[in-house]
Structures are given as C-alpha cells and as structure tokens.
Amino acid sequence: MASTEGGGAAQVWYVEARGGEARDRLHAFLGTLSAQPGFLGAELLLSPAQPGLALVASRWAAGPPALPLPEGARAWTFEVFAAR
C-alpha cells in the first residue's frame, strides 16, 4: 500500500462487541459490509488474551455506511493518516 501521508479520505471503522455471542453477532455484521458502497475490506478479529471480545476492522473509501450496530456493540471511526 502506498503512503497516504498528508491526505486521503480512506477511513477505518472499528466495531466492538463483548460477551458470549459477540463473535456470532459480529460475524453476521461482517457479512453485510461488502454490499455497501465504498467498502474496501474487513476482518473479524478475536483475541485469545481477551475471551468474549470480538472486533470488526473495516476499511472504507470515504466514510462507513449508516448501518445499525449489532446489539451491545460500539464503534469508532478513524481517518487514515498514513499507510505503507
């Protein structure tokens, strides 16, 4: 990936859920993302050090879509400042 320092509208959207069914809720959510405009890719992340925590990290050409979050999830959006 080329450097994007000094500009670039790409954004990363993190959606986090906790609990016994967090993985399943976010796996279903992940499946809806590729049909959205501006979608560049996403991963469902699980941490062995933090059981019950699941995270979807998705990349967008501009901003993420206005989708409802899975129950109990929270989200943050970051603008890509630099990438290599």
Side-chain angles (χ1 to χ4, degrees):
M1 179 183 275
S3 173
T4 61
E5 282 184 19
Q11 293 190 2
V12 177
W13 189 27
Y14 291 105
V15 178
E16 171 191 293
R18 294 179 181 269
E21 295 184 15
R23 181 186 66 185
D24 294 337
R25 290 192 317 267
L26 289 190
H27 189 261
F29 179 74
L30 176 68
T32 69
L33 298 180
S34 63
Q36 302 300 315
F39 178 77
L40 299 174
E43 298 83 28
L44 174 59
L45 307 173
L46 305 173
S47 172
Q50 298 184 57
L53 172 66
L55 178 76
V56 168
S58 59
R59 293 165 309 287
W60 301 88
L67 292 175
L69 297 177
E71 183 181 334
R74 49 190 194 157
W76 300 267
T77 301
F78 295 86
E79 188 169 304
V80 175
F81 175 74
R84 304 282 186 271

